Amino acid sequence: MKRNLFLTLIALFMIPVLFISCGKKEEVAEVVMEEAPAGPVVMNWNLAADPKTIDPGLNGASDGGDVISNTFEGLVRERSGEVVPGIAKSWDTSADGKVITFHLRESKWSDGSPLTAHDFVYGWKRAMDPATASEYGWIWHYTNVVNAEAANNGDVSLDEVGIRAVDDLTFEVTLSAPTDYFVSLTSFYHFMPVKQSVVEDPAGTEGLWAKTPALAVSNGAYKLTSYKVGDGMTLEKNANYWKADKTGLDKINVKFIDSASTGYTAYQAGEFDFLDGLSVPPAEISKLIAENPEFYVFPLLGTYYYNFNMDLPLWEDSRVRRAMAYAIDREQIVETLAQGNVPAAGFVPPGFPDDKGNDFFKTAGTYGVSLGSESIAEAQKLLAEAGYPGGEGFPKFTLLYNTSEGHQLVAQMVQEMWKTNLGIECTLENQEWAVFQDTRKEGDYEISRGGWITDFLDPMGLLAIFVDGNDYNDPNYNNPEYNKAMAEASSSYGEAHFKALYKAQDILMKDMPIVPVYHYTDYFLSSPKVKGWDRSMLGQIDFTTAYLAE
């Protein structure tokens, strides 16, 4: 694995993915894993946050996703942009593209019991069941699995959903329309199997089973053996993992240190072997990129933004919202952060080819939003037209973000730009991550930080969160035309699919319920002795074949 710089890696978004093909059985070669050498087998990793949950069906955050990526295995796994077999040895697709049959390998849960296609049926139906109240229940509206959306809405029985276990080792999915990204989508943590007996244990309700070592059962490379809220957890090698012979770590000590300076200092002192990017002080990043071969930078298919609380009269005038979006100098922000981020004029980042092979990001354009300072004059004009010339009379408000030195820096820059360019003032407030998630979800804010990374390799994985009723529609945006365009995109493919997606983003940027700031990069510090780790294009860290080498 080579060290990467973002601007030279845009091309990596185009890595071909082994998607399904219609009408023939597709045998996919097993991934050749490097043998793990003998030596130290304990790795220390700072995750930088205490996950709200590590239950696959409930989780909605990247920190929990990184843990699940190592404790569970889905039908397939995505490694560096390539979809490879997981529990499914192979899969085939019907001639009309609507029925996908997965052929499972014989495998076991971490407690030694057999894992079957029925476990996938249970896990998937539980995740889409409205009674589960999964934060990702909405994703079933975009799978095209027959009746999945209706079941998630509570309109039909789960028995009417188009998934079934043909036998213990055969799992069948019926779609309402051919869906190019479906197999890739099943690598996402929401689609993991879960064991019914532990999920429904009275002591493990509401996802508690996943954080309780005595209850936690998984099927990935590692299993949970300890968990201390606010401090850390221990993952140990799962001897029953189907390719445990390729797993070179016996134990991973995971810490939840959310202070970048503390985490970074600990890494420098050799206390951590792997450091999440949130543990890297922003001021150190440019130097690390230039000088430190242990620092890795990757493009990330996601966007950093701010939500307007659309329920408040303060933001009901679109001219105000657009003025605030136009008044930000995004180039100055990304240059200050020096992380290789890309200024965002829209919501879909670079890296999504459309039906003609063109990058969606480039084709969509900038919607009049300048990347630098060019649109500030238009911003001032819009605010004056809304009745606030020079910001006169505009109420003071609060910008809310979750505790992080990086988030604080961006918020301070935006605060100053709004004051200087528009004459309006805001105060800043930060909350711890778990508290912030609840506050934002409850709509108890005026403007809040937002960030979204796609869950599958299609622009719909981003734009769908702003459909009315989506659990991640934090601004509570609701435009029937937007909802209609997204519904059209969901039920179509090829040219019609992308035509609807372009229309949806046009509507979104005209209404501007958010302020897009930049498109993410992802970065880590990894000790040279950590070998064999991988990262998916969706940003999940994979230690299934990692090992230590002195």
Side-chain angles (χ1 to χ4, degrees):
M1 185 178 296
K2 297 180 178 180
R3 183 162 172 265
N4 302 277
L5 293 177
F6 176 74
L7 293 177
T8 61
L9 280 178
I10 290 292
L12 281 183
F13 283 122
M14 307 302 181
I15 291 174
V17 178
L18 299 180
F19 286 121
I20 56 175
S21 60
C22 297
K24 66 177 182 178
K25 187 171 183 177
E26 187 171 2
E27 296 287 355
V28 182
E30 299 285 349
V31 178
V32 178
M33 300 294 180
E34 190 175 356
E35 292 286 351
V41 291
V42 179
M43 190 188 81
N44 297 302
W45 170 26
N46 187 29
L47 185 62
D50 186 347
K52 184 177 179 180
T53 180
I54 50 175
D55 179 333
L58 299 181
N59 180 63
S62 58
D63 43 32
D66 281 343
V67 176
I68 294 167
S69 175
N70 290 288
T71 52
F72 284 86
E73 181 98 334
L75 294 168
V76 300
R77 181 175 285 271
E78 187 245 292
R79 292 175 63 90
S80 299
E82 183 180 20
V83 175
V84 300
I87 298 302
K89 292 189 296 184
S90 63
W91 52 92
D92 51 64
T93 307
S94 62
D96 65 1
K98 294 184 179 181
V99 179
I100 305 175
T101 304
F102 295 92
H103 306 280
L104 311 191
R105 67 183 77 249
E106 292 187 359
S107 63
K108 296 179 179 179
W109 290 106
S110 57
D111 64 358
S113 59
L115 188 154
T116 71
H118 301 282
D119 295 312
F120 279 95
V121 173
Y122 173 73
W124 286 27
K125 288 190 175 181
R126 170 184 179 255
M128 77 175 70
D129 187 344
T132 303
S134 170
E135 292 187 7
Y136 261 105
W138 62 270
I139 205 167
W140 291 98
H141 302 199
Y142 302 97
T143 59
N144 286 333
V145 173
V146 168
N147 281 331
E149 178 177 358
N152 181 248
N153 289 334
D155 296 332
V156 303
S157 164
L158 292 171
D159 294 336
E160 299 178 60
V161 174
I163 59 175
R164 69 180 183 121
V166 177
D167 56 42
D168 283 355
L169 297 179
T170 308
F171 181 64
E172 182 183 275
V173 180
T174 303
L175 306 174
S176 58
T179 306
D180 292 342
Y181 53 81
F182 185 81
V183 173
S184 168
L185 176 63
T186 67
S187 69
F188 183 52
Y189 54 73
H190 184 79
F191 297 89
M192 299 297 110
V194 291
K195 187 169 182 177
Q196 183 173 2
S197 60
V198 299
V199 171
E200 298 181 359
D201 189 296
T205 58
E206 298 182 354
L208 185 60
W209 64 272
K211 286 188 174 182
T212 305
L215 286 178
V217 173
S218 56
N219 74 322
Y222 303 93
K223 59 182 180 181
L224 180 77
T225 57
S226 76
Y227 198 103
K228 187 176 181 180
V229 175
D231 181 54
M233 71 178 98
T234 304
L235 306 178
E236 295 189 18
K237 181 176 179 177
N238 173 17
N240 289 309
Y241 180 48
W242 72 272
K243 54 179 181 181
D245 61 323
K246 305 299 182 186
T247 302
L249 301 176
D250 287 331
K251 180 189 289 187
I252 304 176
N253 295 318
V254 185
K255 287 294 185 181
F256 304 150
I257 298 173
D258 61 6
S259 165
S261 55
T262 302
Y264 182 58
T265 299
Y267 179 85
Q268 290 179 302
E271 297 174 20
F272 288 120
D273 303 302
F274 201 91
L275 201 67
D276 185 274
L278 291 176
S279 297
V280 180
E284 300 290 336
I285 291 176
S286 59
K287 182 179 179 182
L288 288 168
I289 290 176
E291 301 177 0
N292 194 330
E294 299 176 19
F295 192 65
Y296 293 80
V297 182
F298 297 90
L300 191 59
L301 299 175
T303 302
Y304 190 108
Y305 59 99
Y306 289 107
N307 299 293
F308 291 107
N309 186 340
M310 297 289 284
D311 292 335
L312 302 179
L314 179 62
W315 310 123
E316 65 184 6
D317 191 329
S318 67
R319 292 171 298 185
V320 171
R321 302 194 299 271
R322 285 185 296 158
M324 295 177 69
Y326 291 1
I328 292 176
D329 188 333
R330 293 160 176 80
E331 290 179 342
Q332 182 180 340
I333 292 172
V334 301
E335 288 172 4
T336 301
L337 295 177
Q339 299 169 358
N341 297 314
V342 175
F347 196 64
V348 177
F352 290 101
D354 63 16
D355 57 298
K356 297 179 177 59
N358 300 318
D359 192 291
F360 190 101
F361 167 83
K362 292 182 179 178
T363 304
T366 63
Y367 306 98
V369 178
S370 70
L371 304 182
S373 60
E374 297 86 349
S375 62
I376 291 175
E378 178 65 15
Q380 294 167 341
K381 179 183 174 184
L382 286 167
L383 193 64
E385 290 176 354
Y388 304 104
E392 184 178 350
F394 197 86
K396 195 171 184 178
F397 59 92
T398 299
L399 186 158
L400 181 67
Y401 62 94
N402 54 301
T403 304
S404 154
E405 293 167 30
H407 297 327
Q408 180 184 31
L409 178 59
V410 176
Q412 289 171 336
M413 284 190 283
V414 170
Q415 178 190 41
E416 181 61 28
M417 289 172 186
W418 282 339
K419 180 178 181 180
T420 301
N421 299 331
L422 295 178
I424 61 178
E425 295 192 15
C426 68
T427 57
L428 303 182
E429 179 183 344
N430 64 297
Q431 295 180 344
E432 296 302 314
W433 177 228
V435 176
F436 173 78
Q437 289 180 85
D438 290 337
T439 301
R440 187 173 60 183
K441 187 69 64 185
E442 293 165 1
D444 187 17
Y445 70 88
E446 292 172 315
I447 289 183
S448 68
R449 189 194 75 81
W452 190 254
I453 299 166
T454 187
D455 304 310
F456 49 99
L457 303 177
D458 188 280
M460 198 158 61
L462 287 116
L463 295 172
I465 68 169
F466 297 115
V467 171
D468 182 41
N470 189 292
D471 281 347
Y472 292 97
N473 184 358
D474 293 319
N476 201 20
Y477 171 64
N478 183 11
N479 183 327
E481 290 188 16
Y482 182 82
N483 300 335
K484 181 181 178 182
M486 289 303 297
E488 291 172 353
S490 176
S491 60
S492 59
Y493 60 97
E495 181 179 3
H497 175 74
F498 281 96
K499 183 179 179 180
L501 289 174
Y502 279 120
K503 181 180 179 180
Q505 183 161 269
D506 288 348
I507 296 169
L508 185 72
M509 291 300 101
K510 180 181 178 181
D511 288 344
M512 205 66 81
I514 58 169
V515 177
V517 181
Y518 60 79
H519 301 302
Y520 284 111
T521 52
D522 201 9
Y523 44 89
F524 310 93
L525 272 165
S526 176
S527 164
K529 67 181 181 181
V530 181
K531 307 289 186 183
W533 59 274
D534 196 82
R535 176 190 171 279
S536 74
M537 284 184 68
L538 303 181
Q540 292 171 356
I541 294 299
D542 182 351
F543 293 120
T544 56
T545 57
Y547 61 92
L548 300 185
E550 295 295 340

